Structure formats: structure tokens, C-alpha cells
Amino acid sequence: MTQASRLEKTAVSPKAWTMLGIGVAAQSAGTVFVSTPAFLIPLLHSEHGLSLTQAGTLAAAPTFGMVLTLVAWGAMADRFGEKWVISIGLALTTIAALAATTTDNYALLGIAFLLGGMAAASTNAASGRVVVGWFPKDRRGLAMGIRQMSQPLGVTIASLTIPTLAANVGIGSAVGLSVALNGVLALICAVALVNPPRPAARSTDIPVETINPYGSNWFLWRIHVVSALLVFPQFTLSTFGLVWLISEQGWDAAPAGLLIGISQFVGALGRIVVGIWSDRAGSRVGPLRLVAVSASAVMLAMAAAGAAPWGVPALILLLATTVSVADNGLAFTSVAEAAGPKWQGKALGAQNTGQFIAASAVGPVVGALIGAVGYPLAFAIVAAFPAAAIPLVPSRDRDISV
């Protein structure tokens, strides 16, 4: 194949990049809402009297809400398309965020975060379908890496704004940021988002893309389990990294939030790099296995970071955060390709469900671990989760996408 034909094969339309940009912005807005309670933990713990376990449970409410609706949103995207699933979901997230700004009752606040998480789940499965539908196979790793920037970018925005807003003007004003972001993106998606073209039906009697991929192969199940295990280091760092810097390393809230934001942004760029790597390697599962090995190693480094000289813990946290988020784009691309176009929304919803079941457990479980044994040993225990994922990564890719 000539260089010219190679370039022609991998060309991507400007509309595809526009749709990807809208999808990234939409999911980032939802992530700001979902991440907000995690960045309220220091304030809730130090000034409002909540234990780390209680504050961690409140932080887990949006992710638990997502668990309840991810597959349903994915099925709706398969059936009705991405545009209105994302638009309606963001509008409902805006309403839930608005409700959260009106109460000081922690139980009601938790319910608002739960309902908002249920609505914010709409962007996860549906925006993944946008990527797979608009981009060719040999550009999907890059595109999904960009799409997977949504989560760390949302966390970055939250880390840079929520602690300061909460400390200076109150919890309600901090949550109000999500009202503005999700409301604006709901309108943009309703006006500008375009569903990707659907593939033409195959001429075979039983098209392979209509077969239930869960009944014919263990590939998807293994990717789901691997991804759930890899969630533990990612959400441990995003949930407790800020309070670790403040309470254990003696940082002030503003520079600690800045470091968390920088870490999440670098992690977002890392997802793009890993996506490009998978495109060039022609494999999703090979890089995924190496990411699992690295995630275990960096959590062990976090366990030892407290004994390191000043400044080193910050560098270790930066590296650990970057590595811990690198797997998401690989796993999502792999799931979408293995599921086929008729099952992509449901499979991506199931993928997110497993991840957020694990994520919802991180707040209370790791919070209790930290309270019982301290940060170093808790980080070392978390390192066992990505280590357990290594032998579960499939040996080869599976792709029935069109």
C-alpha cells in the first residue's frame, strides 16, 4: 500500500472531529457533577464533622447512581441514537444539580447526587458509540483516547474549582458550577450533535453483528472484569489524593487542588498517547496488559511515597494518576469492537456498570482502610487489584465492528 493510499484510508471527516469534540465536552460536564462530592471531602471532614467513611459514601452516591442506569442508557442509544440520549441525560443532570444547591441536609444532598449520577450516565455509553460510529478502525484508538479525556478533564475542572468555591462561598455554590455546565451542554447537544451513520446490513442470513457477543465468547466478560479491577487505583487517587496531600503531606488546599488538576490533565494526555500506541501496534489488549502491570507498580510506589524526601510524593502522585487512567480508552475501544454495532451501547453500558460498581465501593472501602491501617498500607492493598487483572487480560483482540 502506498503512503498516499494509506493516508486516504485513514482520512477522517471534519464532522467526525466536531462530533467527538461535542461528545468530550458533554461527558466532561457530567464528570464535573459526578466528581464534585469527592472534592468536598476535606471540607465535610474537617469543618462539618463527617468521618472519612461518611464523606466517602456521599462521594460514591453519583457513581452508584450511574451503575443503576448505564445499561439502560446504552440500550436506548442502540435503539434511538446518541443525540437525544445525551441531550436529555444532561438536562436531567442539570435539574439534579440544581436540587443539590438548595439543601443543607446531607441525606437529601446524597439523593440529589444519586439522581444526578443516574442522569449523567447517559453520556458514557452514548458518546462511546459516537466515536466508534464516526471513526475508522485504525483511528479509533486515537479518537477513543481523546474521548476518554472527558473523565480526567472533568475531574481537573472540579479539582481546580470545587475546593475553592466550597471553602469561600459554600457547598451550594460549588455544586452550582454543574448546573451551568450541564445546562449549556444539554442545549449544544440538542442543537448540534449528529448521530453517526449506521452501517449497512450484511448479506448473510444471520449477521454476526446481531449475535449476542456475551453468549458466544468470554472476551467481553474478561475485559469487563479487568476494567473493574483497574478502577480501584484510579478512583483511590481521584477520591483520596487531595485529602492525602493535605492531611499527610501538609499541603494547603489550593496548591493540592492544583496538583490534582495537573495530574488529571496529564493523565488525559496519556490516554491519547496510549490510544495512538494501540492503533500503531494493531492491538488493544497488549497495551492494556502493560498498563495493568504499571498500575500495580505505581500504587506500591504511592505506598512508599510518605517516606520520600519533600517533592517526591508529588511526582509519584503525578505518575500514578497518569498510569491509573491510561487503560480506559483501550478497554472501551476493545469492548465496542468486540460487541459489534447492534450491541455497542449495551456493551459499553455494561463496561461502565462494572467500572462504577467498583468505583462506588472505593469511597467507603478505601476510606475505611485508610482509617484502620493508614495511607501507606491502604495504597499497598489497592495495588493488589491491578495485579489480579494481569492474567485476566485476553491474549488477542476480537473485532466484529463494521
Side-chain angles (χ1 to χ4, degrees):
M1 179 183 295
T2 66
Q3 182 67 21
S5 62
R6 184 185 303 274
L7 290 172
E8 182 180 353
K9 177 183 177 182
T10 59
V12 179
S13 70
K15 178 179 282 189
W17 292 111
T18 300
M19 297 306 106
L20 176 58
I22 294 173
V24 168
Q27 191 170 349
S28 296
T31 300
V32 170
F33 175 81
V34 171
S35 303
T36 289
F39 292 103
L40 297 175
I41 288 178
L43 184 69
L44 294 171
H45 179 53
S46 63
E47 297 187 18
H48 293 257
L50 272 67
S51 68
L52 279 179
T53 301
Q54 291 172 322
T57 301
L58 185 65
T63 56
F64 181 70
M66 296 180 81
V67 166
L68 300 177
T69 58
L70 279 162
V71 174
W73 282 118
M76 290 176 64
D78 285 338
R79 177 67 179 85
F80 301 109
E82 297 79 5
K83 178 186 179 75
W84 293 112
V85 166
I86 295 175
S87 301
I88 293 171
L90 288 175
L92 293 174
T93 305
T94 302
I95 294 171
L98 183 61
T101 65
T102 64
T103 181
D104 293 325
N105 182 287
Y106 296 122
L108 295 178
L109 189 62
I111 292 172
F113 282 134
L114 175 73
L115 295 174
M118 293 173 67
S122 62
T123 63
N124 289 63
S127 63
R129 282 189 57 96
V130 169
V131 170
V132 176
W134 279 108
F135 286 82
K137 176 179 172 57
D138 56 356
R139 302 298 293 275
R140 284 181 197 149
L142 166 63
M144 193 67 82
I146 294 173
R147 180 261 187 182
Q148 291 300 108
M149 289 178 64
S150 306
Q151 195 270 341
L153 283 177
V155 174
T156 298
I157 294 170
S159 70
L160 294 176
T161 57
I162 299 304
T164 302
L165 285 172
N168 293 331
V169 290
I171 292 175
S173 296
V175 180
L177 177 64
S178 292
V179 177
L181 291 177
N182 285 275
V184 168
L185 264 300
L187 291 174
I188 291 174
C189 290
V191 172
L193 190 63
V194 178
N195 290 334
R198 294 294 189 253
R202 298 189 179 190
S203 59
T204 54
D205 292 335
I206 304 177
V208 66
E209 68 267 18
T210 67
I211 298 173
N212 183 345
Y214 290 97
S216 59
N217 195 284
W218 284 97
F219 183 91
L220 284 173
W221 292 107
R222 292 176 68 175
I223 295 294
H224 292 335
V225 173
V226 166
S227 296
L229 290 169
L230 292 177
V231 156
F232 271 81
Q234 176 185 341
F235 274 78
T236 294
L237 295 172
S238 65
T239 302
F240 295 102
L242 181 67
V243 69
W244 177 73
L245 286 171
I246 294 172
S247 64
E248 296 294 305
Q249 304 301 317
W251 287 49
D252 292 331
L258 178 61
L259 178 61
I260 295 295
I262 292 172
S263 299
Q264 292 292 327
F265 181 74
V266 173
L269 297 178
R271 289 181 173 184
I272 298 177
V273 172
V274 171
I276 295 172
W277 172 24
S278 74
D279 283 339
R280 293 184 176 179
S283 173
R284 315 299 180 196
V285 297
L288 182 60
R289 184 177 296 105
L290 292 178
V291 169
V293 173
S294 301
S296 183
V298 295
M299 288 310 300
L300 291 175
M302 283 292 296
W310 186 89
V312 174
L315 295 175
I316 294 175
L317 177 61
L318 178 64
L319 175 62
T321 301
T322 302
V323 169
S324 71
V325 302
D327 65 287
N328 289 44
L330 297 172
F332 268 76
T333 308
S334 186
V335 165
E337 291 175 343
K342 298 297 183 181
W343 281 79
Q344 281 167 358
K346 292 182 284 292
L348 289 171
Q351 167 75 1
N352 269 312
T353 297
Q355 288 184 306
F356 283 111
I357 286 174
S360 64
V362 168
V365 170
V366 177
L369 269 177
I370 293 170
V373 301
Y375 282 94
L377 187 53
F379 288 153
I381 293 171
V382 170
F385 289 91
I390 296 168
L392 297 177
V393 179
S395 59
R396 62 184 64 184
D397 293 279
R398 182 171 187 257
D399 186 0
I400 62 171
S401 62
V402 239

